[in-house]
Amino acid sequence: MSQLQVASRKRWMRLIPLVFITYSLAYLDRANYGFGVAGGMGEDLNITAGVSSFLAALFFLGYFFFQVPGAHYAEKKSAKILIFWSLILWGGLATLTGMATSVAWLYPIRFLLGVVESAVMPAMLVFLSHWFLKEERSRANTFLILGNPVTVLWMSILSGYLLKAFDWRWLFIIEGLPAVLWAFIWYKLVNDRPKDAKWLTGQEKLDMEATLQKEQAALKPVKNYREAFKSKQVIVLSIQYFMWSIGVYGFVMWLPSIIKQASSMDIVATGWLSSGPYLLAVISMLALSYFSDKTLNRKTFVWTSLLVGAIAFFGSFMLGTSNFWLSYALLVIAGGAMYAPYGPFFAIIPEILPRNVAGGAMALINSMGALGSFVGAYFVGYLNGLTGGPGASYIFMAGSLLISALLTLMVKKPAVTSVKQMEAVSS
């Protein structure tokens, strides 16, 4: 077994659990708002349906602003330090949500929570690009983003029980504190780059850095962010991710309320049912990332998954309220399909842009996703309140996913060159 293979095993075993848990905690503190609303926060603070939709969406407005600065800091200075402070701040803000005595408190808290978390995703993607090779990157990204559906899966169940045992205030307090504690574990165990890691041997560090440099040498140079942001590929991916995020976050933020209204079940049963789409999401994300890395084909896995999600939403709309369980099954499929291609999607940019601008480009794309999330979270809640049911929002989410799938077809497929291929050429 080569030094690089030994180092690879060490990287997966040490870094991926840390990355997964960190992003899980970030997602916990943004997604539990839907359960707070369904669990009595709206009634206690006199939050109207329109205000509730705006508060859900306000997070993503804050999330939009600091993506590119966060990626720049992570690339030029330290993703480790940036994420450490983000953990402390977002855990504190999430806990403050449970102490709010009026809706006026929630406006700055939700906005600032978005600001603090905005740097986490691009910083994590930059961090992973420093540690994982091209043929590993889709899987590494997937384990990062798995923190999203896995967290919503267990959070959906836990939140139901916490709301039944306590109330919505304790839900936010209990689920906010772990991020603050985890910050210190993250800081202790993580290094920004292989050359800084004491748990790698000298030869393993050299092999890792040399292999990553080979990958960079195979990419066309791009001078600065301005040149990268004007790239047709980056523009198309930004619009594509905007449309995709409308569907994802309209779904995430309002699924508990949709299920509770349609089924008339209690909050614990609602929590169990809300976890179903995320269980399928975990399975489909792992499968697609594996085959994406094996084939180095990113684009096909992305557009086909989004098309399946669009069809499932439309099917659920056509069923209406006539068959709750079949409609619910289609929602499970829609949720799983929307999440499935995240790993391949975020592997595209590092394969077409060099490291000096790839982080910024991913941050720009994620910023557009934040705007899409704002639109999805707001308008799905607004349409549900306006029409008294989820039918109109299903069409809205189906349309956004269909457009996203079509835009994916416009993305030029990056050249397929793995490290093994480069080694064969050099030898």
Side-chain angles (χ1 to χ4, degrees):
M1 184 178 291
S2 70
Q3 291 289 328
L4 190 58
Q5 290 173 315
V6 173
S8 178
R9 181 174 295 179
K10 289 180 180 179
R11 287 180 289 123
W12 284 98
M13 295 298 292
R14 184 181 181 96
L15 297 178
I16 291 300
L18 296 172
V19 164
F20 172 79
I21 292 171
T22 301
Y23 195 64
S24 294
L25 292 172
Y27 211 81
L28 169 66
D29 289 336
R30 82 172 70 164
N32 56 8
Y33 174 78
F35 273 93
V37 172
M41 182 168 67
E43 291 85 349
D44 289 352
L45 300 183
N46 297 314
I47 303 173
T48 66
V51 170
S52 182
S53 297
F54 183 70
L55 284 169
L58 193 58
F59 169 91
F60 299 105
L61 194 60
Y63 194 72
F64 170 76
F65 285 104
F66 291 94
Q67 297 273 329
V68 175
H72 182 76
Y73 184 92
E75 181 64 57
K76 300 300 181 183
K77 295 191 176 182
S78 174
K80 170 182 173 175
I81 293 173
L82 182 62
I83 292 168
F84 168 76
W85 285 110
S86 296
L87 278 160
I88 292 174
L89 290 170
W90 90 56
L93 287 165
T95 300
L96 278 177
T97 304
M99 302 177 185
T101 56
S102 72
V103 69
W105 279 53
L106 297 180
Y107 291 110
I109 288 174
R110 290 295 296 174
F111 179 78
L112 289 172
L113 187 63
V115 169
V116 170
E117 286 197 26
S118 66
V120 176
M121 179 69 166
M124 281 293 198
L125 290 170
V126 168
F127 175 79
L128 290 175
S129 73
H130 291 167
W131 279 96
F132 292 91
L133 309 177
K134 182 174 182 177
E135 58 263 34
E136 303 170 318
R137 210 162 283 145
S138 179
R139 282 169 292 159
N141 291 343
T142 291
F143 279 106
L144 164 66
I145 302 165
L146 269 177
N148 176 326
V150 169
T151 299
V152 180
L153 194 160
W154 64 259
M155 182 206 73
S156 297
I157 298 169
L158 175 65
S159 295
Y161 283 108
L162 285 175
L163 287 168
K164 187 173 183 178
F166 303 104
D167 60 14
W168 64 269
R169 294 185 181 281
W170 280 105
L171 167 73
F172 287 109
I173 293 169
I174 291 171
E175 292 183 352
L177 289 175
V180 178
L181 301 176
W182 181 255
F184 297 93
I185 298 173
W186 165 267
Y187 192 84
K188 177 70 175 176
L189 297 180
V190 165
N191 303 103
D192 277 302
R193 298 174 186 270
K195 64 183 178 63
D196 303 320
K198 295 180 180 178
W199 44 274
L200 292 176
T201 67
Q203 189 60 50
E204 288 167 353
K205 294 177 187 180
L206 289 173
D207 289 346
M208 275 296 305
E209 294 288 352
T211 306
L212 288 166
Q213 287 302 318
K214 281 183 182 179
E215 288 187 352
Q216 291 299 301
L219 296 172
K220 179 182 176 182
V222 178
K223 289 187 296 184
N224 51 40
Y225 284 160
R226 177 178 294 182
E227 184 178 332
F229 292 174
K230 288 175 13 183
S231 160
K232 180 183 175 182
Q233 301 281 68
V234 172
I235 292 170
V236 171
L237 287 169
S238 296
I239 301 171
Q240 186 264 16
Y241 197 51
F242 172 87
M243 301 305 300
W244 180 1
S245 298
I246 287 176
V248 171
Y249 283 93
F251 183 83
V252 168
M253 297 305 294
W254 297 108
L255 182 64
S257 297
I258 289 171
I259 290 176
K260 193 171 187 295
Q261 181 183 13
S263 66
S264 299
M265 296 181 183
D266 67 18
I267 195 66
V268 172
T270 297
W272 277 98
L273 288 178
S274 297
S275 69
Y278 304 106
L279 178 60
L280 179 61
V282 171
I283 297 168
S284 57
M285 286 176 75
L286 289 170
L288 258 69
S289 66
Y290 174 81
F291 288 110
S292 173
D293 276 347
K294 285 294 183 184
T295 63
L296 291 181
N297 185 347
R298 315 300 189 190
K299 176 176 159 180
T300 301
F301 290 106
V302 175
W303 76 260
T304 53
S305 298
L306 296 177
L307 182 61
V308 169
I311 293 170
F313 269 130
F314 185 73
S316 192
F317 164 76
M318 294 297 292
L319 282 172
T321 57
S322 62
N323 189 324
F324 169 76
W325 288 108
L326 185 54
S327 179
Y328 169 74
L330 287 170
L331 287 181
V332 171
I333 293 170
M338 283 191 296
Y339 276 99
Y342 271 118
F345 178 79
F346 280 108
I348 292 173
I349 285 295
E351 293 176 4
I352 61 178
L353 290 175
R355 182 175 293 165
N356 66 306
V357 294
M362 288 188 289
L364 176 66
I365 292 166
N366 206 42
S367 295
M368 294 304 296
L371 286 184
S373 303
F374 178 90
V375 172
Y378 180 77
F379 278 101
V380 168
Y382 174 78
L383 290 171
N384 290 345
L386 182 67
T387 61
S393 63
Y394 290 169
I395 289 294
F396 180 56
M397 290 186 281
S400 68
L401 291 179
L402 178 60
I403 294 170
S404 183
L406 295 174
L407 286 169
T408 308
L409 292 172
M410 296 172 59
V411 177
K412 184 179 178 182
K413 186 177 178 181
V416 178
T417 308
S418 69
V419 170
K420 291 178 183 178
Q421 288 170 323
M422 285 191 285
E423 288 174 346
V425 171
S426 63
S427 63

